[in-house]
Amino acid sequence: MTTQNDTVPLRIAQRRRYLMCRPDHFTVSYSINPWMEPANPTDTAKAVRQWQALHDAYVALGHQVELIDPVPGLPDMVYTANGGFIVDGRALGVRFRVDERRGEERPFMDWFAAHGFEVVEPVEVQEGEGDFLLVGDTILAGTGFRSVGDSHRELAEVFGREVVSLRLVDPRFYHLDTAITVLDPVEGPTGVERANIAYLPSAFDEASQRVLAERYPDAIHVSDADGAVFGLNAASDGLHVFVSPRATGFAAQLEERGYIPVPIDLSELLLGGGGIKCCTLELRGGAR
Ligand code: ARG
C-alpha cells in the first residue's frame, strides 16, 4: 500500500500486529488521571461500538488484531498499551503504579506466554507501551507520572537497546503515548529515512524538549489544542495514521507530509483518559 506525488515523501504502510481488549466491562469507577470523573455516567455499549470501529479499521487496512479476554472488575483493561512492551518476540510485563490496575498484570503476562512470547517479569514500576515507544532502533521512555526512572534502566537491560528518558510535566499527558505519536514504526525502506515522530512540546520539561528537538529535527510539533483532545494518542502504520477526528490541525499537518489520517472517534473511552493508542499494543516478533 503506497501513495506518491511530487511534493511529499513516499509513505509505505507496513502490516502491524496489535493486541486489543473489547471494553465489555468499561466504566469509570475510580479516578487515577485528570480525565476520569466517576460521577459522570459512562455508556459501555457506546464504548464497545467505538472500540469496534477502531478494530475494524485496523483489519480493513490489512493489520492483524489479536484479542485478550476482558476481565470483570478491571475496567481499564481496554487500554492494552499498558499491558506490556514487546520487541523481537520478548514481552516485558508491567507493574502498575496504582493498585486499581494491578489485577491486569498477570492476565497480560499469561496471554503473552500462551502466544509464544518470551515473558520477562518486571521489577520496577512501569506501564508498558503507554510510556515506552519504539522509534526505529531506539526506545523513548517516559517518566514523571507513572513509570519510574529506574524502569528505563531495566528496559535497556532487557532489550539491549538505546533508551532515551523523557520527563512529562503536564498531568493531562501522564503517559508518553499521550504526548508523542510514532509516525514511522520502522526505519524507511532504503534505510536512509529516519523514523519520525509528532509531539506536544509543552508536555515535556525543558531538558526533554531539547533532546527531542535535537534527535527529531523533522518532527511534527502539534498544537496545544490538538494535544488537549488527545490527538497525539494515535497509531501509525507508516502511511495511515489512526487519529481523533477532533485533532483537525494535526490531521492537516499529517496530510502535508504524505500521511493519510484515518479519523476514529473514541470519545467514550476518553472518559477513562485513553484514546486510540492506549487501546492498541503492538506485538513485534514471536510466534504467530
Ligand atoms: N484509565 C487508564 C489509566 O489511567 C487510562 C490508560 C491510558 N493508557 C495509555 N496508554 N495512555 O491508567
Side-chain angles (χ1 to χ4, degrees):
M1 290 175 281
T2 59
T3 182
Q4 192 165 30
N5 71 35
D6 291 342
T7 54
V8 294
L10 174 71
R11 302 287 172 203
I12 296 178
Q14 304 234 351
R15 189 166 190 247
R16 318 311 302 169
R17 186 171 173 226
Y18 294 138
L19 179 63
M20 298 182 72
C21 180
R22 188 184 309 279
D24 287 338
H25 309 293
F26 176 73
T27 186
V28 177
S29 51
Y30 50 80
S31 180
I32 55 174
N33 67 54
W35 304 84
M36 299 174 86
E37 273 294 340
N40 293 347
T42 50
D43 181 340
T44 304
K46 184 174 173 192
V48 172
R49 279 198 305 279
Q50 292 183 335
W51 174 93
Q52 190 70 45
L54 176 64
H55 171 280
D56 293 354
Y58 284 147
V59 172
L61 287 166
H63 303 297
Q64 186 183 344
V65 180
E66 309 278 352
L67 297 175
I68 181 171
D69 289 333
V71 177
L74 297 176
D76 275 340
M77 200 170 162
V78 58
Y79 307 114
T80 51
N82 299 124
F85 184 70
I86 299 119
V87 183
D88 293 340
R90 178 176 292 175
L92 175 62
V94 295
R95 266 205 67 187
F96 282 99
R97 173 166 289 234
V98 291
D99 286 343
E100 286 88 341
R101 295 196 67 181
R102 294 212 57 194
E104 299 174 42
E105 296 168 1
R106 190 48 53 194
F108 276 108
M109 283 190 266
D110 289 348
W111 191 96
F112 302 141
H115 290 78
F117 293 90
E118 176 203 344
V119 178
V120 179
E121 302 241 356
V123 177
E124 305 295 342
V125 166
Q126 46 84 3
E127 301 193 350
E129 205 165 68
D131 271 329
F132 304 153
L133 298 172
L134 185 68
V135 190
D137 286 331
T138 300
I139 302 171
L140 302 184
T143 188
F145 295 100
R146 299 292 184 87
S147 301
V148 299
D150 279 344
S151 72
H152 298 181
R153 188 189 27 79
E154 186 179 0
L155 185 65
E157 279 164 20
V158 170
F159 292 102
R161 296 195 180 224
E162 180 193 23
V163 172
V164 176
S165 291
L166 300 169
R167 180 165 293 275
L168 296 160
V169 294
D170 182 330
R172 290 173 301 162
F173 308 110
Y174 57 93
H175 277 139
L176 190 65
D177 69 358
T178 67
I180 291 183
T181 305
V182 181
L183 296 173
D184 310 301
V186 290
E187 301 289 352
T190 67
V192 176
E193 301 89 341
R194 288 204 59 194
N196 202 9
I197 63 170
Y199 67 98
L200 177 66
S202 61
F204 296 93
D205 73 2
E206 272 175 33
S208 304
Q209 288 185 28
R210 275 198 298 276
V211 170
L212 288 167
E214 209 168 278
R215 299 186 75 104
Y216 303 103
D218 299 327
I220 296 179
H221 290 195
V222 170
S223 70
D224 288 347
D226 286 336
V229 293
F230 249 50
L232 282 156
N233 196 248
S236 172
D237 64 18
L239 171 62
H240 308 103
V241 182
F242 304 86
V243 60
S244 165
R246 296 165 69 197
T248 49
F250 183 31
Q253 289 171 304
L254 289 167
E255 281 177 338
E256 278 165 25
R257 310 277 189 119
Y259 299 99
I260 301 175
V262 179
I264 303 284
D265 183 13
L266 294 188
S267 59
E268 198 62 25
L269 290 157
L270 189 54
L271 300 176
I276 292 167
K277 180 61 194 75
C278 302
C279 295
T280 309
L281 174 65
E282 184 152 0
L283 303 169
R284 301 179 188 88
R288 266 140 215 261

